Amino acid sequence: MAFTMRAVKVPPNSASLEEARHRVFDFFRTACRSLPSVMEIYNLDDVVTISQLRSTISAQIRQNAHITNPKVIDMLLLKGEEELSNITEHAKQRHHIIGQYVVEQSGPHDKGSTKDPSTSEFLKNFYTSNYF
Amino acid sequence: MAAALRPAILRHLRIPAQAQSLTVDPSAPILSSFMNRIRSMSSHGDEHLTHEEVVDRVIDVVKSYPKVDPSKVTPQVHFQKDLGLDSLDTVEIVMALEEEFKLEIPDKEADKIDSCPLAIEYISNHPMAA
């Protein structure tokens, strides 16, 4: 099984922002290299291309690009590595991958949109913040 | 008999040693470019990529990257300075090149590749590029 690949990683303990940055790039490269196997495990060939998945991964990394504390970056990397190992060892299923990485997610208020596509401006503002 | 004949034949084979003109090229791995000009026993046939093919494929990969404006892409372009990408985009383009040419670029070398000419040069010098 594919447990071996993940088991050897030392828990990240970056001394500086530069080292954390380096770890982020290493994680990104590892994730990209596992993409062909992911495509094959979950039969994603009809749904998405490898370059789209790569862009999705980099977009998610970029969402946290503003963080400067190395320990926070380490924690995020830990979560990312756990997610990657879950995906590569087939602990997830196809609909998880498609829902989380293929379909466009656009904001917290959309979680309610499948149940109630409300056209209320008040509600939209309410979902985004307390103050409006 | 064939087993005895083979070393006798091999002992008499002379492989032409080509005089290498060592152009000073600090970023290219000099040793590997020296060793992979001569591949007379290779079973790969004539699968070497021509330089134009490498350039064309690299340009295609860069142009098909969604954040890049295809009209700005030339073989001399620098990813961060000319195309306005950031370091994560650079890593992503290098990974896309790895996928295109079926290579695996070690991290230290990948960190140095941040422009089209460097990428083209690295791939052209890599013996396993397909």
Side-chain angles (χ1 to χ4, degrees):
Chain A
M1 286 228 106
F3 301 108
T4 50
M5 185 174 72
R6 297 284 122 211
V8 276
K9 284 247 157 92
V10 177
N13 191 5
S14 311
S16 67
L17 187 57
E18 187 55 38
E19 189 180 342
R21 198 165 156 268
H22 217 75
R23 277 191 213 263
V24 170
F25 291 151
D26 285 344
F27 167 69
F28 180 59
R29 287 194 197 110
T30 314
C32 287
R33 287 191 180 123
S34 64
L35 278 182
S37 122
V38 165
M39 295 278 286
E40 192 184 330
I41 293 176
Y42 298 99
N43 296 323
L44 296 170
D45 294 317
D46 326 319
V47 185
V48 75
T49 67
I50 292 190
S51 55
Q52 283 171 332
L53 281 178
R54 234 195 327 261
S55 300
T56 313
I57 299 177
S58 72
Q60 294 203 345
I61 293 180
R62 193 164 286 123
Q63 274 179 358
N64 293 320
H66 57 280
I67 295 181
T68 54
N69 187 354
K71 294 201 193 302
V72 176
I73 298 180
D74 285 343
M75 185 273 297
L76 292 168
L77 275 177
L78 198 68
K79 296 185 67 170
E81 281 172 4
E82 179 186 1
E83 178 77 9
L84 180 63
S85 77
N86 281 341
I87 292 178
T88 49
E89 66 193 27
H90 210 337
K92 296 215 163 195
Q93 291 170 337
R94 193 163 181 261
H95 64 278
H96 295 123
I97 309 294
I98 293 182
Q100 291 169 0
Y101 298 103
V102 177
V103 174
E104 299 281 314
Q105 319 266 12
S106 47
H109 57 272
D110 266 6
K111 282 187 185 151
S113 74
T114 50
K115 301 173 197 166
D116 178 24
S118 150
T119 52
S120 157
E121 269 304 312
F122 171 80
L123 275 183
K124 287 198 173 84
N125 289 336
F126 181 73
Y127 290 144
T128 56
S129 96
N130 285 338
Y131 309 105
F132 54 89
Chain B
M1 199 223 138
L5 199 53
R6 192 169 164 273
I9 293 178
L10 284 176
R11 241 176 269 131
H12 288 280
L13 263 179
R14 290 282 173 262
I15 300 175
Q18 300 171 7
Q20 303 286 336
S21 57
L22 289 174
T23 51
V24 179
D25 210 353
S27 52
I30 295 185
L31 191 61
S32 72
S33 69
F34 183 81
M35 302 246 252
N36 62 19
R37 300 270 165 82
I38 309 170
R39 305 191 70 185
S40 29
M41 302 285 191
S42 163
S43 55
H44 279 246
D46 195 19
E47 288 177 8
H48 282 286
L49 297 176
T50 59
H51 190 76
E52 295 81 37
E53 201 180 331
V54 173
V55 172
D56 286 339
R57 283 167 72 181
V58 168
I59 301 275
D60 281 342
V61 166
V62 179
K63 276 188 186 166
S64 54
Y65 187 62
K67 292 192 188 170
V68 158
D69 180 8
S71 57
K72 288 190 188 167
V73 179
T74 73
Q76 305 304 321
V77 80
H78 190 282
F79 298 142
Q80 297 191 17
K81 293 184 198 148
D82 299 328
L83 295 176
L85 302 175
D86 69 357
S87 49
L88 190 62
D89 293 321
T90 309
V91 176
E92 193 171 339
I93 288 187
V94 170
M95 295 304 299
L97 289 171
E98 269 195 32
E99 184 200 341
E100 167 74 17
F101 290 97
K102 300 187 189 46
L103 294 177
E104 188 145 328
I105 306 179
D107 291 345
K108 289 191 66 176
E109 301 294 324
D111 283 340
K112 296 180 200 157
I113 299 179
D114 59 351
S115 63
C116 262
L118 282 178
I120 293 172
E121 187 183 342
Y122 183 86
I123 294 174
S124 309
N125 288 337
H126 202 292
M128 298 286 290

